[in-house]
Amino acid sequence: MLIGKPSDIPSSEITPRDAYEDYVNVRRSERRSFLRGAVAAGAAALGAERLGELFDPRIGALAGTKLDTVKSPLTTTGEDLTSLNDLTHYNNFYEFGVQKNEPGQNAGALPTRPWTVKVEGKVKTPKTFDIEALLKLRPLEDRVYRHRCVEAWSMVIPWVGYSLSEFIKQCEPLSTAKYVQFLSYYDKKVEKWASDTSIFWPYSEGLRMDEAMHPLTLLTFGLYGEVLPNQNGAPVRIAVPWKYGFKSAKSIVTVRFLDKQPPTTWNDQGPSEYGFYSNVNPTVDHPRWSQKTERRIGLPFYAQRKTTLMFNGYADQVASLYTGMDLRRNF
Ligand code: MTE
């Protein structure tokens, strides 16, 4: 994602995206084979179980705690899941560092209990929900979704949660509420890395009310049947599978109902690069790269490149939300 102004960097100095990805992939596979050797030697010395503990990728006091879940009719089928290891080492959570591996190292500092979500704005009465009450509001469902980042990589994630609409009903929004804004936790003493960026904190995202009420929009508490690791946005985040991943705010502390479109983090950073709607759309390129294809994290190098689908493959369910809209202008 863009931090600072692109005009600061002469185009001659920007490595073409494909060359960079090829470089990273080659380096990664070299590193993996080296690591495999080292891990095998270590396992023999330490015993495999102890080694598993040392390399547990889930960070956070409650990460890894099992959740009671039920199957969801809204799950995506026919996709291989991204491994827990990749889901927890390749993250965007800029409050804990801008490199993909940094949230997995630094987000342990996020205090996920006690945790409350404040509801304010155009509602009958402002309320505060405790995370324990939110966890019990509805049966938690296992829902696999494709996850497409605006940076043209993707994953397949087995989330745990329930439709955000169930929570919104409890918030009793007024008829004047047209948008919902989500604000993430922000404490600069805990999230020391945040001040290295030009982002105006806290992280803010928003949805139009009908998007927020769509059954696919998931209030998310876990992945792989367990409490969310901190690096993935514990203890509660959003997952909107037909939009680029940055619409899915992590570690939410405030939900605000508004009559106007809220300011959002990436749209503020680069309005020509990150639109408010941010629907996955292979026909609208990012100004600096194509959105026609994506790189599926965790697959062997030769199998990574995939064709990006309109609305990330969820068009049958969500295209009607945008009938009559020019999706090039409202990107
Ligand atoms: N939420 C907060 N608070 N801070 C962030 O930096 N990054 C966004 C989104 N939510 C971000 C955030 C982006 S760019 C993406 S792609 C997804 O989280 C990444 O989620 P994941 O790390 O669980 O894959």
Side-chain angles (χ1 to χ4, degrees), residues 1 86-88 90-97 100 103 147-151 153 155 157 159 183-185 191 199 201-205 223 228-229 231-233 237-238 244-252 265-266:
M1 312 282 286
D86 284 327
L87 292 185
T88 48
Y90 199 85
N91 299 104
N92 279 339
F93 200 168
Y94 280 51
E95 292 90 322
F96 291 102
K100 298 285 182 268
H147 175 77
R148 171 63 156 82
C149 179
V150 73
E151 296 161 333
W153 51 266
M155 297 179 171
I157 309 186
W159 297 116
L183 296 170
S184 296
Y185 175 92
E191 293 161 324
I199 293 173
W201 303 103
Y203 195 92
S204 162
E205 256 312 330
L223 54 80
L228 279 173
Q231 61 264 55
N232 297 95
R237 64 173 289 166
I238 301 293
Y244 292 121
F246 67 85
K247 294 302 284 180
S248 303
K250 293 178 166 181
S251 307
I252 294 167
T265 294
W266 287 105

Side-chain angles (χ1 to χ4, degrees), residues 129-147:
F129 291 83
D130 190 83
I131 188 71
E132 307 299 347
L134 286 181
L135 278 160
K136 289 192 204 109
L137 194 67
R138 296 287 305 161
L140 296 173
E141 298 172 26
D142 286 307
R143 276 203 211 167
V144 174
Y145 283 164
R146 282 181 290 271
H147 175 77

Side-chain angles (χ1 to χ4, degrees), residues 215-232:
L216 282 180
T217 304
L218 193 70
L219 191 63
T220 308
F221 301 91
L223 54 80
Y224 270 112
E226 300 173 345
V227 167
L228 279 173
N230 284 10
Q231 61 264 55
N232 297 95

Side-chain angles (χ1 to χ4, degrees), residues 9-243:
I9 310 167
S11 60
S12 59
E13 284 178 21
I14 300 175
T15 306
R17 186 171 188 86
D18 279 356
Y20 170 76
E21 285 174 358
D22 290 351
Y23 168 78
V24 171
N25 280 314
V26 171
R27 291 303 303 266
R28 239 187 236 130
S29 67
E30 280 168 2
R31 213 181 55 204
R32 276 204 192 113
S33 55
F34 167 77
L35 282 175
R36 264 197 297 274
V39 167
L46 272 170
E49 212 170 287
R50 172 96 183 84
L51 201 76
E53 277 169 33
L54 285 178
F55 286 99
D56 192 333
R58 302 163 294 193
I59 56 171
L62 296 173
T65 310
K66 286 260 171 276
L67 292 167
D68 267 340
T69 58
V70 296
K71 283 208 169 110
S72 173
L74 296 177
T75 204
T76 303
T77 53
E79 297 270 13
D80 289 334
L81 302 183
T82 303
S83 71
L84 180 65
N85 204 46
D86 284 327
L87 292 185
T88 48
H89 285 97
Y90 199 85
N91 299 104
N92 279 339
F93 200 168
Y94 280 51
E95 292 90 322
F96 291 102
V98 298
Q99 303 299 328
K100 298 285 182 268
N101 62 333
E102 285 184 296
Q105 292 164 3
N106 302 331
L110 177 73
T112 56
R113 289 294 188 284
W115 190 277
T116 54
V117 177
K118 211 159 74 164
V119 174
E120 55 189 37
K122 306 261 171 226
V123 285
K124 202 166 148 200
T125 325
K127 293 180 191 169
T128 299
F129 291 83
D130 190 83
I131 188 71
E132 307 299 347
L134 286 181
L135 278 160
K136 289 192 204 109
L137 194 67
R138 296 287 305 161
L140 296 173
E141 298 172 26
D142 286 307
R143 276 203 211 167
V144 174
Y145 283 164
R146 282 181 290 271
H147 175 77
R148 171 63 156 82
C149 179
V150 73
E151 296 161 333
W153 51 266
S154 64
M155 297 179 171
V156 181
I157 309 186
W159 297 116
V160 174
Y162 50 76
S163 296
L164 175 69
S165 61
E166 302 288 352
F167 170 65
I168 291 183
K169 283 180 211 154
Q170 303 292 317
C171 300
E172 301 182 282
L174 302 176
S175 60
T176 48
K178 304 291 180 217
Y179 292 88
V180 195
Q181 182 182 23
F182 307 95
L183 296 170
S184 296
Y185 175 92
Y186 181 57
D187 180 341
K188 62 179 178 211
K189 289 197 260 4
V190 174
E191 293 161 324
K192 292 177 249 168
W193 304 264
S195 53
D196 297 341
T197 72
S198 54
I199 293 173
F200 182 73
W201 303 103
Y203 195 92
S204 162
E205 256 312 330
L207 295 171
R208 215 171 56 187
M209 199 65 171
D210 56 345
E211 297 177 319
M213 290 299 286
H214 192 282
L216 282 180
T217 304
L218 193 70
L219 191 63
T220 308
F221 301 91
L223 54 80
Y224 270 112
E226 300 173 345
V227 167
L228 279 173
N230 284 10
Q231 61 264 55
N232 297 95
V236 59
R237 64 173 289 166
I238 301 293
V240 196
W242 71 95
K243 291 182 181 280

Side-chain angles (χ1 to χ4, degrees), residues 253-282:
V253 291
T254 304
V255 175
R256 199 177 276 162
F257 291 87
L258 300 166
D259 54 2
K260 290 190 208 61
Q261 189 177 299
T264 56
T265 294
W266 287 105
N267 189 240
D268 278 355
Q269 283 286 304
S272 62
E273 308 213 345
Y274 313 107
F276 176 80
Y277 281 93
S278 293
N279 291 319
V280 175
N281 188 342

